[in-house]
């Protein structure tokens, strides 16, 4: 199966059966991502070099306004889509097989986890992977150590408090926090 079609199928939520040819393709993507993130994380790089390496990780150019503080981790990379004026702080892990879409002017705090894969609940299907995209809309701020789970959309201008675990969609202009995250307040729009 062609790589781009496979990545599109993942973004569309098509499950991947454990030990299948598609599962092996996921592992090939992971090996490439580990090689490239090791290059990014191994030493100091000027901001332009970081953008170049990150573009290589995701397989497409990023805007010159993009900024990242390494280290950064991903186990796919090719299903990350980033807008302009995006900042990603250190220690983040993007499990992006299901697709991660980051809107313009988003701020992502240190140690944030974006996880787009679930496993089958039944023991005999535990090795299966079930992808669903994460969408982070324009002007979102995600606090450090937050976790965003598969299938979640964070609405425009929303804030996710540090340490929150987001299991369902966050409305625009909302502030959420806690485990699981719940709305704390509404921002003036």
């Amino acid at each position: 199966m062609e790589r781009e079609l496979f990545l599109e199928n993942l973004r569309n939520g098509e499950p991947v059966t454990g030990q299948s040819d598609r599962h092996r393709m996921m592992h090939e993507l992971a090996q490439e991502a580990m090689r490239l993130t090791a290059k990014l994380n191994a030493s100091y790089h000027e901001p332009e070099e970081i953008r170049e390496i990150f573009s290589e990780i995701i397989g497409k150019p990023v805007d010159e306004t993009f900024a990242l503080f390494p280290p950064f981790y991903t186990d796919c990379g090719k299903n990350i889509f980033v807008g302009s004026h995006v900042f990603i702080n250190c220690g983040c892990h993007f499990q992006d097989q299901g697709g991660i879409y980051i809107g313009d002017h988003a701020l992502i705090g240190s140690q944030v986890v974006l996880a787009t894969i679930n496993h089958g609940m039944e023991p005999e299907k535990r090795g299966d992977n079930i992808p669903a995209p994460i969408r982070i809309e324009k002007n979102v701020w995600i606090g450090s150590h937050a976790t965003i789970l598969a299938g979640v959309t964070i609405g425009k201008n929303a804030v996710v408090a540090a340490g929150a675990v987001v299991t369902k969609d966050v409305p625009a202009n909302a502030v959420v926090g806690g485990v699981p995250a719940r709305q704390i307040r509404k921002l003036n729009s």
Side-chain angles (χ1 to χ4, degrees):
M1 173 180 285
E2 180 192 310
R3 178 190 254 188
E4 193 49 48
L5 178 59
F6 176 62
L7 290 167
E8 184 179 334
N9 290 342
L10 288 172
R11 292 189 303 268
N12 290 329
E14 291 187 22
V16 176
T17 304
Q19 307 306 315
S20 66
D21 286 341
R22 290 165 39 99
H23 192 248
R24 282 186 281 286
M25 189 175 278
M26 283 179 69
H27 280 271
E28 290 171 14
L29 286 164
Q31 292 301 312
E32 181 180 339
M34 285 189 283
R35 178 180 59 78
L36 293 170
T37 55
K39 177 180 171 182
L40 174 69
N41 299 334
S43 64
Y44 174 78
H45 301 283
E46 294 290 334
E48 183 177 315
E49 293 174 293
I50 290 172
R51 284 190 294 275
E52 288 173 9
I53 298 168
F54 190 81
S55 293
E56 191 176 359
I57 290 169
I58 69 171
K60 54 196 104 30
V62 291
D63 191 83
E64 65 183 20
T65 60
F66 172 81
L68 167 77
F69 288 175
F72 173 81
Y73 305 95
T74 182
D75 50 5
C76 179
K78 302 304 186 227
N79 268 344
I80 298 172
F81 302 87
V82 180
S84 65
H85 299 277
V86 168
F87 173 68
I88 301 171
N89 212 328
C90 60
C92 290
H93 185 112
F94 290 9
Q95 185 189 41
D96 64 286
Q97 289 88 343
I100 293 174
Y101 302 87
I102 303 172
D104 297 344
H105 298 275
L107 302 174
I108 300 178
S110 61
Q111 306 291 321
V112 166
V113 174
L114 304 178
T116 68
I117 291 283
N118 278 319
H119 290 281
M121 291 300 287
E122 298 81 17
E124 64 276 5
K125 293 188 178 186
R126 198 67 43 86
D128 294 354
N129 293 276
I130 304 157
I134 292 172
R135 297 180 189 283
I136 299 168
E137 295 183 355
K138 186 176 181 178
N139 294 322
V140 167
W141 174 22
I142 300 176
S144 63
H145 293 269
T147 299
I148 315 298
L149 297 182
V152 167
T153 295
I154 310 294
K156 182 178 176 183
N157 301 321
V159 176
V160 175
V165 177
V166 184
T167 61
K168 60 184 180 182
D169 290 353
V170 174
N173 302 304
V175 178
V176 299
V179 180
R182 62 176 179 73
Q183 187 167 323
I184 297 168
R185 63 181 267 223
K186 195 82 166 157
L187 298 171
N188 296 331
S189 51

